[in-house]
Amino acid sequence: MSEPPGDLGLDDALDLEPGLPPVKAAQEAGRGSATPPRGGGRPRLRIGMWWRVALVAGMLYAFILVLGDIARAGGLTWRGGYLGLAVCLAPLEAYISNRMIKRRQLRGDDRRRFRLAEVVMLVVVLQLLRFLWQGLPHLGGKIERLFDVEFFLGSLIMLGCWSLVALVVQWLEEIEFQPSEAPLSATAPGYDLWVGSHTRRLQHTAAFKHVRSLYLAGAVLMLLMAAMAQVNPGHYVDFGRTGLRYLILHVLLYFVLGLALIAEARLSLLHTTWQHQEVDISPQVARRWPWLVLALLGISVAISLVLPVQYSVGLIETLSYALNLLFTVLVTLLYLLLFLVGLLLYPLRWLLARGQGGEAPPPPEFQQPPEAAPPAATGHPLLDTIKSLVFWLVALAVVAYALYNFAREHRSSLENLPILRSLYRLGRWLAGAWQALRRRASQARLALAARLARPPAAARAGAQARRAKRLGRLTPRQLVLQYYLATMRRASSVGLHRRPSQTPDEYSDSLAGAVPEVHPDLTALTGAFVEARYSEHQVDAAYAHGLKPYFVRVKRALGEWVRKRAQAAPRGPVA
Amino acid sequence: MDMGLFLVILFIVAAVLRVDFFFYILYVFLAVYLLSRLWVSRALRQVKVKRRLDSHAFWGEQLPVRVEVSNDGLLPVPWLQLQETLPQPLAFPPVRSLAVSLWPHEKASLSYTLDCRKRGYYHIGPLRLASGDLLDTVSRSFSEQGMASLIVYPRLLPLEDLGIPSRSPFGSIKRNTAIHRDPARVAGVRDYRPGDSLRHINWKTSAARGSLQTKVFDPVISLDTAVFLDLERGHYEPSHAITTTELAISVAASILAQLARQRQPFSLIANGRDPLAEADASDGAGESGRASTGPSLPMRSGQAHLVTVLEALGRIDNREVEPFAAMIQREMVRLPWGCTVVIVSGNGEGLLGHALRLERSGFNVVVVLVDYHSDLRRHSHELEMAGATVYRLGQRQELTRMKV
């Protein structure tokens, strides 16, 4: 019988033809069969699913081993080796039964009857294995002795594992590209529908996420169970006890197999997505995948072996020690500074002592600062403390990073929580307050800088005296020029510049337009300037000094003009 | 369960129970989590993309394109999905995708062929790259910054097939006797004969030879050819405007190619929208973003000029940016005197006035009407009466046979 197109798995496809892109081959195999293959025939296992079933079986076996550890830790005699064997067969059975249900399209009561038959069969197989493992019990004519506590407990565990595994196997199958999803020809009637359909693709991703979540939840459960088996429950809250330093092999087995399963499922999911998008897939992606996973895990294991796993010192003590250490460093620096100052002053002290006829003082000595005492710990206190410090830093980083990512990924749902909304409002208020504080500080800094830039009253008085002295040294001609140029400087500083083409008279008229009340003063200053600048006759000293009131009035008028203009200017928008 | 939540729980369990092995597991998961994120972001920075394709293609050409992606870094890229977006007229489906894995300094390529069966100016890309880690903790995607462009030249048709005589129909008309003299084209000198214009005496040569010499002008009057392409929608049958305007562009290109083969100077003036000119206008003007005129290429000869003209015709959009009347009025004053004006239009409506004006201005007017869906007899008769040479394309059946 030829293999139906739908049975073409990933690994099969990869081994079809080396030169042909596998997906194309799969598409060619799947093209034209828009409906899943029906009819009879034996269910055939795909190679990819074999691996997955084996991995799931291994993980379940590890789980049963941990159960055995718990039983032994509780003082019970563990005789459940057969249970491990039975649960290893559960994934295989679940996979085959899922395929049969799908192939025969069982629904409703038919499906329930099928499942019931499976349950009965599983219980019977479990008991058979038990009898093979332990031998037949002495019934003594009482058949009810077969149904003891072990029977019920074993069946419960077996059926629990089986139902979980059936779900996992179903998810693993859902990750894979289904033959019914094969791309249709562009001219096929349902092409548009097929192109626009994203539902199946979403289901693939959801199935992968289910598998991964279940694996992680199982990992937590495994660790708790392993801890129950290894640590005395009375010592759970004893933080002073030393850590357990041995390897728990079956927990390791669970994690290794689980990571392999997740990595393989991830590859399948990618392949499925690419098949949906009609992507040509290089065979190298699948070939290199296991090596890259191994490399990633190898590097991660190497890093984990370097990091500390012990904390002889608690978190609070470690933080306290770290702060103490910082304080000690600062004090040491201060002591060093004082020692250097003492060394610099020593010659002076020596000279003073010699001058007074006394003995030379001893040179200064560096005093030892107080050391930060490491917290009480066994072994090497400092080394233990540093290890603890690294440990807690890593731990805090783990928690912070995980929380950050969690908050980022669940931002929309977290924002709807009332307490977080209040916190968000508080955060916004604090941020606003901080901004206001910064604004005020900036304003204060500017005001201080302006105040510092302005000379104090005494300095101003000194400057005036110096200016008067300087003016007193000028000749009358220079004094006239000085008054006019000072007027010009002041006018320019308030924005009334003289254009290069303007004559003194023109400039005077333009200034008079701004300050008409001092027009006569400006005319007097300008006339005096023109006379002093261009005439050759002597300038009278009294005449020169007599210009000061004109200059003062013009100066005041310009100051007034600036104030009026500032008041008249429109203010900025009010916040 | 989320990976971040799992790490927190794992840490709490490990810290409370104080089992070293649990801490190792925590660290392994944490390292996987962090390394995956770091790996993907670092590795993707070193991925370089190069697209190899010709920027021009002839109609009907199968143009191979090769997109090379290389990993220039030291970290391998576990998987990389390339998704190339293509113009639909040239490729179906308009997406090409490839998933690869790249070792350090390894290259991979995505090759495909563009079927250049439609004239136009196309953007190839952008190429979208997506990658992620091995355990689905992180995925990243980004798009290539630059896009390649491709110009597909219009289809060049044999003029005989279009019903247009191909042997010197336009442009230079070679005469045995010079009916005009072109003082710009001096062929040589000869002895002076009585009756020769004194303005044509070559005084330098006369002085050198000791006898009067007259300039001899080239007996050929070069009638440069200006091709006006009318893409005004009103001049085409509305229900077939797209195909007939495309045909008009092809006809114009074919005429220009014929002129180039005959080594005659030619120019192209069209009133269609040029997307490249529009992009330049938007870069320059900032806001307007629209060129107000179509392409207007100067009068030149040679293959290089033909390529420029074909590029313009390849890019041109068959929607007008200005009325044909405005275009011809503006461009008429720039035409060299006596040149041949070839007007490629739809049904010839509204051309009579322009043809008359051109004829009276001393131009040789040739009109090619391409809208074979319309009844062209009336307009062509009017144009012929105005002195223009009119060519009508063959019947629809013939064009269909030619797969025009």
Side-chain angles (χ1 to χ4, degrees), chain A residues 116-162:
Chain A
L116 188 66
E118 272 185 280
V119 168
V120 172
M121 189 196 73
L122 283 170
V123 172
V124 169
V125 168
L126 181 70
Q127 293 310 312
L128 281 175
L129 284 173
R130 180 187 168 189
F131 297 145
L132 286 173
W133 197 268
Q134 298 173 352
L136 273 171
H138 295 287
L139 298 175
K142 293 182 178 178
I143 196 74
E144 63 269 20
R145 284 189 183 174
L146 279 174
F147 305 103
D148 55 357
V149 177
E150 190 176 341
F151 169 81
F152 287 110
L153 203 60
S155 301
L156 196 66
I157 292 169
M158 174 71 188
L159 292 177
C161 289
W162 171 77

Side-chain angles (χ1 to χ4, degrees), chain A residues 508-531:
Chain A
S508 170
D509 290 343
S510 69
L511 281 182
V515 280
E517 65 274 17
V518 289
H519 189 206
D521 304 314
L522 281 168
T523 309
L525 280 170
T526 307
F529 164 73
V530 171
E531 188 181 349

Side-chain angles (χ1 to χ4, degrees), chain A residues 208 212-213 223 227 239 241 243-245 247 266 274 277 280 282 288 308 310-311 391 395 398 401 409, chain B residues 1-2 10-11 15-18 20-21 23 27 29-30 32 37 81 97-99 101 103 106 134 136:
Chain A
F208 171 76
R212 193 178 59 182
S213 296
L223 291 179
F239 297 106
R241 67 186 159 79
L244 302 174
R245 300 192 175 198
L247 186 71
R266 167 71 167 153
W274 290 335
Q277 297 171 356
D280 290 340
S282 165
R288 292 173 181 176
Q310 294 285 326
Y311 63 102
F391 172 83
V398 169
Y401 192 71
E409 284 164 17
Chain B
M1 182 183 280
D2 182 60
L10 195 56
F11 170 70
V16 169
L17 298 176
R18 304 199 65 175
D20 291 2
F21 177 60
F23 279 114
Y27 290 150
F29 272 88
L30 184 68
V32 165
R37 284 170 179 266
Q81 184 185 350
S97 300
L98 175 70
S101 171
W103 287 132
E106 191 182 3
L134 300 161
D136 194 33

Side-chain angles (χ1 to χ4, degrees), chain A residues 474-494:
Chain A
L474 296 176
T475 63
R477 186 184 299 277
Q478 286 171 335
L479 190 61
V480 172
L481 297 180
Q482 179 63 30
Y483 280 133
Y484 180 76
L485 292 175
T487 306
M488 248 179 70
R489 271 200 303 273
R490 284 191 174 268
S492 290
S493 68
V494 298

Side-chain angles (χ1 to χ4, degrees), chain B residues 326-347:
Chain B
M327 181 184 78
I328 204 163
Q329 200 146 1
R330 190 188 64 245
E331 295 291 338
M332 203 169 76
V333 294
R334 300 185 196 171
L335 294 175
W337 182 85
C339 83
T340 299
V341 174
V342 179
I343 300 173
V344 181
S345 182
N347 52 22

